[in-house]
Amino acid sequence: MPDHPALWGVHYEKFNVFMIASRENKVSLPSMVQDKKELDRKWLTEKLGDFLLDIAKLIFGGVVLAGIMETDVNPYWLFSIGGGVAVWVAFIGFYVLGLFNRKK
């Protein structure tokens, strides 16, 4: 048990949890760990959305470059499949970012 009067401890089976007590709030270490996990999950969700949007931009750029170069690829299939995949990945990226922004 700490000597400081603002700290008090609660003994659980395997560990001690010390709470910082003030007049306004009480913050425990497990809640701080839970908040850290929530922030990590939000950060990961945001980065995943950004990554998917970057992938969609790269796919779109690849389709445009392949369309400019003279290859033996049917332009109809190139633009329809490549454009469809780029739009699909961008949609998923925006959906993931929307989930991130909704939970703020």
Side-chain angles (χ1 to χ4, degrees), residues 42-60:
K42 287 182 179 181
W43 178 82
L44 185 62
T45 305
E46 179 185 10
K47 292 300 175 184
L48 176 63
D50 290 340
F51 175 74
L52 289 172
L53 290 177
D54 289 342
I55 294 297
K57 289 186 274 187
L58 287 171
I59 292 171
F60 179 74

Side-chain angles (χ1 to χ4, degrees), residues 26-99:
K26 293 180 182 177
V27 178
S28 66
L29 292 178
S31 69
M32 293 167 73
V33 170
Q34 187 177 8
D35 292 342
K36 172 88 168 90
K37 287 181 181 179
E38 183 69 22
L39 287 175
D40 288 346
R41 189 184 63 77
K42 287 182 179 181
W43 178 82
L44 185 62
T45 305
E46 179 185 10
K47 292 300 175 184
L48 176 63
D50 290 340
F51 175 74
L52 289 172
L53 290 177
D54 289 342
I55 294 297
K57 289 186 274 187
L58 287 171
I59 292 171
F60 179 74
V63 168
V64 169
L65 286 176
I68 291 173
M69 296 187 311
E70 295 179 12
T71 58
D72 294 334
V73 178
N74 185 353
Y76 173 75
W77 288 108
L78 174 70
F79 289 112
S80 62
I81 293 175
V85 170
V87 168
W88 182 68
V89 172
F91 176 75
I92 293 173
F94 282 123
Y95 179 75
V96 169
L97 284 175
L99 288 177

Side-chain angles (χ1 to χ4, degrees), residues 3-20:
D3 295 331
H4 195 276
L7 297 176
W8 56 280
V10 177
H11 179 70
Y12 289 101
E13 291 178 9
K14 295 185 180 180
F15 58 95
N16 286 324
V17 175
F18 293 101
M19 298 187 76
I20 302 169

